[in-house]
Amino acid sequence: MSFIDKLYQALIANNRYMLYLEGLGVTMLVTVGAIVLGTVLGCVAALLRTAEAKPPRFLAQVYIDVIRGTPVMVQLLIFYMVIFTAPNTSKVLVSIVAFGINSGAYVAEIIRGGIASVDPGQMEAGRSLGLSKGQTMWHVILPQAVKNALPAYANEFIVLIKETAVVGYIGLQDLTKISSTIISRTYEAMAPLLIIAAVYLALTMGLSRLFARMERRLRRDDPS
């Protein structure tokens, strides 16, 4: 069987391309849900890490150390087999929560690094204008921190897309799991694996270009 025939069997025959589209939909749903949750948790953890009081800083540091120090697949299995034990719990929800909490630890360090890169005089300038510390952080520091952290944040988004490939371990039919299903039907591995590799490559390259364009626009709009 030629490569074209193998590609036909893996993609066109029996409308198998629909399986890839369904798997892609699950992959993107988990990724987008996780990055949204991770961004919220990361911003909160980053602010706690920069707090003056020790207890919030300690809690945020424990969260970051534990999550970054354990494999994401182990975390996913813990959420699926230990925490969300109800029989009707959505596997998509479990995946979003697990990957969102994992991503939040990395986003926290990204945002914290962005905050640290802002000139400390910006806080003093904001306070001298009558803003509270919280208002200065929200209106002055964070916008600059987000701009500085955008490249690292973009990389986290791209890494997250690839990390979600392990959701098949809990039986979720994502893009990678679909390839296993098709391999079991066609008894041919090369074409399905090349197809999903191409899809992941297209996703990551597309996101890289999108974030690069956003970064260039932010630099162009920077009054400094």
Side-chain angles (χ1 to χ4, degrees):
M1 184 182 294
S2 68
F3 176 73
I4 299 299
D5 292 331
K6 293 177 181 179
L7 196 62
Y8 176 83
Q9 289 296 322
L11 186 62
I12 306 300
N14 299 319
N15 295 324
R16 288 189 176 120
Y17 65 90
M18 293 298 297
L19 296 176
Y20 292 101
L21 291 176
E22 292 173 6
L24 177 61
V26 171
T27 293
M28 293 309 300
L29 178 60
V30 171
T31 301
V32 173
I35 200 65
V36 170
L37 176 59
T39 300
V40 173
L41 292 177
C43 288
V44 172
L47 292 175
L48 292 178
R49 285 274 280 118
T50 60
E52 295 180 356
K54 289 185 178 181
R57 290 207 313 268
F58 175 75
L59 290 175
Q61 189 63 58
V62 169
Y63 161 63
I64 292 169
D65 289 344
V66 169
I67 296 299
R68 296 178 68 185
T70 53
V72 65
M73 192 175 76
V74 174
Q75 296 168 17
L76 176 64
L77 293 175
I78 288 173
F79 275 98
Y80 181 66
M81 305 174 97
V82 178
I83 299 176
F84 292 97
T85 56
N88 295 325
T89 302
S90 168
K91 295 178 181 178
V92 172
L93 176 62
V94 174
S95 300
I96 289 174
V97 171
F99 282 100
I101 291 176
N102 177 272
S103 181
Y106 292 91
V107 172
E109 290 297 277
I110 291 170
I111 298 298
R112 187 182 67 84
I115 293 174
S117 68
V118 177
D119 186 349
Q122 296 287 327
M123 176 62 74
E124 298 175 6
R127 297 301 299 275
S128 67
L129 293 175
L131 299 176
S132 66
K133 184 177 180 179
Q135 290 173 326
T136 304
M137 178 64 73
W138 181 257
H139 295 289
V140 179
I141 305 298
L142 277 181
Q144 298 179 68
V146 168
K147 182 182 68 174
N148 295 338
L150 184 60
Y153 180 80
N155 184 67
E156 169 61 19
F157 199 164
I158 291 169
V159 168
L160 185 59
I161 288 179
K162 294 181 288 185
E163 284 184 339
T164 58
V166 302
V167 296
Y169 280 93
I170 64 171
L172 194 57
Q173 295 291 316
D174 73 317
L175 188 59
T176 302
K177 186 66 174 179
I178 287 298
S179 70
S180 299
T181 301
I182 293 175
I183 289 171
S184 67
R185 296 178 183 178
T186 62
Y187 302 103
E188 168 56 39
M190 182 174 66
L193 292 177
L194 287 178
I195 289 170
I196 66 165
V199 173
Y200 278 117
L201 181 61
L203 286 174
T204 56
M205 289 184 65
L207 283 172
S208 295
R209 293 185 178 183
L210 174 63
F211 278 107
R213 180 173 297 181
M214 292 172 59
E215 187 178 355
R216 288 195 299 269
R217 179 168 295 181
L218 286 173
R219 288 179 177 176
R220 189 168 57 246
D221 295 341
D222 190 346
S224 60

